[in-house]
Amino acid sequence: AQKVIQVWSTASRQEGEELTLDCSYETSQVLYHLFWYKHLLSGEMVFLIRQMSSSTAKERSGRYSVVFQKSLKSISLVISALQPDDSGKYFCALWERGNTGGLSGKLTFGEGTQVTVIS
Amino acid sequence: EAAVTQSPRSKVAVTGGKVTLSCHQTNNHDYMYWYRQDTGHGLRLIHYSYVADSTEKGDIPDGYKASRPSQENFSLILELASLSQTAVYFCASSPNYEQYFGPGTRLTVL
């Protein structure tokens, strides 16, 4: 079964609008992290924002913010005031601690949502 | 200057041939990872390493070997490349839970 699910494979909005990308996940760990990455056409994977499972703060970074519903194991990325450069593929990822101890862990990615911003 | 670099950036290989993908980081991070991304899908973990001279299997290690000769360098080796290994490969380094990705290597096996 998939551990990280991004229901929508594509999404499109007009420039200036707001877009919410949904992600659900499965984990048995108490402490974990959730990340949103953007995959650029250049191939680069860019970190956008992080949510710690232990945090109740509403994380925000520039025009990016998250809606974290821990009890539902759901996290959404909200992109406000969309710009054409926001077009790209967005990935949700779950970080869980590994078995080797220390701070080692691994990321499990969703399949991504391709976003198109229409000018 | 990019902290995680990969070489080559793209490669065409023949079936049955040996392929080595290289990753170099200047972040001084302990952890390094190799992922593959198939068209339309997310990244999947192949191998990772938390210290030099040691590697661990990820979720899809079959057909791949990894080598971490130093903290800075982490290689992914395909001893007998197959068509199914055509993909984009990403390397990442991490000090803890946040991973920093390289630009990716596009591998085409013919």
Side-chain angles (χ1 to χ4, degrees):
Chain A
Q2 280 186 288
K3 194 165 239 198
V4 179
I5 298 172
Q6 294 180 249
V7 176
W8 303 107
S9 59
T10 63
S12 63
R13 292 291 185 277
Q14 296 283 340
E15 185 176 356
E17 292 184 336
E18 181 178 277
L19 173 64
T20 298
L21 304 178
D22 298 322
C23 174
S24 62
Y25 59 92
E26 284 297 326
T27 182
S28 58
Q29 296 191 6
V30 175
L31 294 176
Y32 53 89
H33 300 268
L34 294 156
F35 293 86
W36 282 95
Y37 287 89
K38 180 183 177 184
H39 191 206
L40 304 180
L41 284 176
S42 64
E44 188 179 359
M45 188 72 75
V46 178
F47 162 76
L48 297 178
I49 197 166
R50 171 176 64 90
Q51 175 71 51
M52 295 173 61
S53 62
S54 57
S55 172
T56 56
K58 187 175 172 64
E59 299 295 336
R60 175 178 290 276
S61 176
R63 293 183 296 109
Y64 302 111
S65 62
V66 296
V67 176
F68 181 43
Q69 298 177 286
K70 187 174 179 178
S71 61
L72 298 179
K73 291 187 176 169
S74 166
I75 184 165
S76 298
L77 174 70
V78 181
I79 311 172
S80 62
L82 283 166
Q83 303 170 359
D85 280 351
D86 291 326
S87 296
K89 194 155 191 176
Y90 290 77
F91 289 95
C92 173
L94 166 69
W95 183 93
E96 298 171 288
R97 191 176 295 282
N99 298 324
T100 52
L103 294 171
S104 69
K106 66 174 191 177
L107 279 176
T108 302
F109 285 79
E111 295 196 346
T113 300
Q114 183 67 44
V115 170
T116 302
V117 179
I118 304 163
S119 300
Chain B
E1 186 177 338
V4 181
T5 55
Q6 294 181 230
S7 62
R9 291 295 311 277
S10 67
K11 184 173 180 65
V12 178
V14 295
T15 304
K18 182 177 180 178
V19 177
T20 299
L21 306 182
S22 299
C23 178
H24 179 80
Q25 57 117 345
T26 57
N27 294 323
N28 200 32
H29 291 164
D30 287 332
Y31 307 107
M32 296 188 75
Y33 303 82
W34 274 108
Y35 296 88
R36 67 175 278 174
Q37 182 185 32
D38 296 281
T39 302
H41 296 283
L43 281 67
R44 292 181 291 168
L45 181 65
I46 307 171
H47 285 288
Y48 63 101
S49 168
Y50 56 92
V51 68
D53 294 323
S54 177
T55 63
E56 303 289 332
K57 293 180 179 179
D59 296 325
I60 53 165
D62 293 345
Y64 302 94
K65 291 183 180 179
S67 173
R68 182 101 180 262
S70 64
Q71 187 185 35
E72 297 80 19
N73 296 296
F74 191 35
S75 297
L76 185 68
I77 303 148
L78 290 67
E79 294 280 4
L80 295 170
S82 66
L83 294 173
S84 64
Q85 293 177 312
T86 292
V88 178
Y89 291 83
F90 285 95
C91 174
S93 74
S94 173
N96 42 43
Y97 40 76
E98 190 163 323
Q99 298 191 9
Y100 297 83
F101 287 85
T105 295
R106 184 173 296 277
L107 174 65
T108 303
V109 182
L110 301 176

